[in-house]
Amino acid sequence: MNINFKLIISNYTDDALLELLKDNANEALQHIYTNWREGFLHWVQNGYGCNETEAVDIFQESVLGFYKSFKKGKLEDINSSLKTYFYSIGKYQALNYFNKYKKKNSIKSSEEMAKWLPDEEPVEFETEEENPVKKFLDKMQDPCKTILISFYYYEMSMANIADQLNYKSIDVVKAQKYRCMQRLKKVVQKEMKKKA
Amino acid sequence: MSEKKKFHSLTKKFGFESKSNELESDDESKQLLEEDANYFQHFIGAVDEIGDLDLRAKMKNWEKARSTEIKSTLEEEEDSFQENMLYREIMSASERSKAIKVKTPKRQFEWKNEIQTFTFHKKIKEVLKFEVEDNCRKSVATGVFEMNEKSGKAELPLKVLKNGRYYLKIFSTTEFLLLDFYIKNTKPSI
């Protein structure tokens, strides 16, 4: 019988949060969402004059940007706290958001905002590319899609995936993952042949 | 460049190194990717895009859950202020009590401080006990009045009681009185 004891922590240190991101990204992201949301919304609404809905959008884009930074290993080398880095992403996202919707005269003095900024480069956001695999991966039924996204995107361990999906063992997950990978490749190659 | 070398350089380029031990040990899946670097590049690009969509969907759910939680906390609090209809009947009957007649506070008062003072029309010679129930008739506190001729003090642990309507039962050996009051000290936790 697998018994999981979940320790409920309201505030992680930066090191602990990084460890949690490596071990269970889903839980770490949910923790960030729950615990950083209020402060961030307050900050972005005050600083950028946006309403709550816009602030939530910016927050969610910032969480995504933060996770991308983590996957690229950028969080290991920052000089500021994780939260400060998160806010620097938030600033970038807010400016992006308002440039997009052409909102002017809503940004307060940069002096107040500057205290949140570390001496870091803003996160680079990749441009979208055409992708033949994307269409079929998106259409995949569970458990394939969940297994592949959990492993390759959230970088969950096989043990965690087995737990999440109630599989009996890691070997069962591995075997299922391989079948899913085979199926996906077969479908993509078939499609590519048709187009060629 | 061999496919294997291309695979490793792409692995590095796209930061696909986490869980590398598991990636390395998962020989069959790894082979599927290694065979074709072009496919691998598209695969990890697809995983990134679909993964981003998945995370966005998760965040929307967390946001929804948050709103539901707030709504149900407020609804719960609204319920706790509802009148108990049985006790409404009993209150009318108990007002005819001759021995225990409360002068102040009046019915539906707000119990603001832990110690509440009551004044009575008559001098109370007996020991007066009390019991407090919530609007679902669940007992939450009991005690004894600290009497001084025509007034008495009762103490409630307000910090542990939720906002809502409560019923105060006052007992002597022969008489009984029922009053209702409110606690409005704390806001619902959001």
Side-chain angles (χ1 to χ4, degrees):
Chain A
M1 187 163 75
N2 193 20
I3 301 171
N4 284 319
F5 291 98
K6 204 172 178 183
L7 185 65
I8 299 166
I9 300 172
S10 58
N11 279 310
Y12 285 93
T13 60
D14 279 4
D15 286 343
L17 188 56
L18 276 175
E19 281 308 306
L20 187 65
L21 276 164
K22 286 171 194 167
D23 187 51
N24 191 337
N26 189 49
E27 192 176 315
L29 290 165
Q30 195 168 4
H31 170 84
I32 286 167
Y33 198 92
T34 310
N35 288 274
W36 293 2
R37 183 190 179 277
E38 293 307 316
F40 185 92
L41 256 57
H42 181 76
W43 172 77
V44 81
Q45 282 178 275
N46 273 349
Y48 295 89
C50 58
N51 61 35
E52 191 177 333
T53 307
E54 289 164 336
V56 168
D57 282 346
I58 294 166
F59 178 68
Q60 290 182 355
E61 289 304 313
S62 303
V63 171
L64 194 62
F66 183 80
Y67 185 54
K68 283 176 183 293
S69 292
F70 162 73
K71 276 151 71 72
K72 288 180 180 176
K74 291 191 176 188
L75 300 190
E76 307 281 348
D77 301 324
I78 58 174
N79 294 322
S80 66
S81 69
L82 290 181
K83 209 170 192 178
T84 303
Y85 189 79
F86 181 85
Y87 275 74
S88 75
I89 295 172
K91 181 178 185 261
Y92 181 95
Q93 285 296 348
L95 290 171
N96 231 23
Y97 189 95
F98 290 113
N99 280 340
K100 224 172 158 187
Y101 292 97
K102 290 178 184 171
K103 253 195 177 175
K104 289 175 185 176
N105 302 318
S106 60
I107 299 171
K108 283 192 179 173
S109 113
S110 60
E111 274 177 36
E112 203 182 326
M113 295 299 108
K115 71 182 178 183
W116 291 107
L117 302 179
D119 298 323
E120 308 295 340
E121 292 291 314
V123 173
E124 289 166 21
F125 292 89
E126 293 166 345
T127 56
E128 284 190 19
E129 294 175 336
E130 281 189 3
N131 194 329
V133 177
K134 185 194 162 190
K135 177 173 130 185
F136 294 102
L137 178 57
D138 199 20
K139 283 182 183 173
M140 280 191 118
Q141 302 286 326
D142 276 334
C144 280
K145 191 175 176 184
T146 299
I147 289 174
L148 297 183
I149 297 300
S150 296
F151 187 80
Y152 291 106
Y153 183 79
Y154 293 109
E155 298 175 356
M156 282 172 74
S157 66
M158 288 293 191
N160 277 343
I161 297 172
D163 214 23
Q164 180 189 317
L165 297 176
N166 290 320
Y167 279 110
K168 287 181 186 173
S169 75
I170 289 170
D171 289 333
V172 171
V173 182
K174 260 192 194 166
Q176 180 65 62
K177 179 166 148 307
Y178 176 65
R179 281 195 292 273
C180 296
M181 294 283 280
Q182 262 189 323
R183 206 177 301 163
L184 178 64
K185 195 170 184 188
K186 206 172 171 183
V187 158
V188 169
Q189 283 173 338
K190 200 175 174 183
E191 181 76 7
M192 299 295 281
K193 266 187 189 164
K194 266 190 208 172
K195 283 187 175 175
Chain B
M1 200 196 276
S2 72
E3 288 297 328
K4 244 188 182 168
K5 275 189 179 170
K6 272 189 206 169
F7 174 84
H8 283 292
S9 77
L10 282 169
T11 303
K12 227 177 169 178
K13 182 188 172 189
F14 290 100
F16 212 53
E17 283 164 317
S18 306
K19 308 290 179 216
S20 58
N21 285 337
E22 284 194 329
L23 208 56
E24 293 296 321
S25 69
D26 188 8
D27 292 331
E28 291 175 320
S29 290
K30 189 180 151 209
Q31 205 177 355
L32 280 177
L33 292 171
E34 263 185 357
E35 286 166 355
D36 185 345
N38 195 38
Y39 175 78
F40 174 58
Q41 191 167 338
H42 283 123
F43 175 80
I44 53 178
V47 157
D48 253 359
E49 286 190 59
I50 305 292
D52 285 354
L53 288 171
D54 186 81
L55 181 52
R56 281 201 172 91
K58 279 191 161 83
M59 287 194 281
K60 287 210 174 344
N61 286 338
W62 295 335
E63 192 63 34
K64 227 189 247 179
R66 210 188 148 274
S67 312
T68 310
E69 202 181 294
I70 292 166
K71 201 181 168 191
S72 70
T73 304
L74 292 172
E75 280 173 354
E76 238 178 65
E77 180 156 301
E78 219 179 282
D79 286 345
S80 69
F81 278 88
Q82 294 300 311
E83 195 176 8
N84 184 295
M85 300 316 286
L86 171 65
Y87 275 4
R88 182 204 252 183
E89 302 293 321
I90 294 174
M91 260 192 298
S92 315
S94 77
E95 272 164 3
R96 283 175 240 134
S97 157
K98 288 174 184 171
I100 309 171
K101 271 196 168 330
V102 174
K103 195 173 175 183
T104 59
K106 302 289 180 200
R107 270 192 58 198
Q108 293 182 11
F109 67 94
E110 187 185 339
W111 197 305
K112 287 184 184 174
N113 303 308
E114 298 223 327
I115 296 176
Q116 173 69 45
T117 302
F118 293 79
T119 60
F120 301 90
H121 284 283
K122 286 179 181 180
K123 194 172 169 183
I124 309 286
K125 291 172 188 176
E126 297 176 77
V127 170
L128 273 189
K129 292 182 183 176
F130 69 87
E131 183 178 3
V132 174
E133 291 179 6
D134 65 18
N135 67 343
C136 296
R137 295 174 59 200
K138 182 187 163 195
S139 181
V140 296
T142 57
V144 179
F145 277 92
E146 195 184 301
M147 294 304 298
N148 184 11
E149 300 213 335
K150 283 190 185 177
S151 73
K153 289 180 183 175
E155 190 172 350
L156 274 190
L158 293 184
K159 283 173 190 168
V160 300
L161 294 176
K162 289 182 192 172
N163 289 346
R165 183 196 293 251
Y166 291 86
Y167 292 91
L168 176 69
K169 294 176 170 178
I170 304 176
F171 304 89
S172 67
T173 48
T174 52
E175 297 279 343
F176 160 80
L177 180 69
L178 187 66
L179 292 176
D180 55 352
F181 65 91
Y182 298 109
I183 290 174
K184 297 177 187 175
N185 284 334
T186 53
K187 287 183 184 173
S189 56
I190 296 169

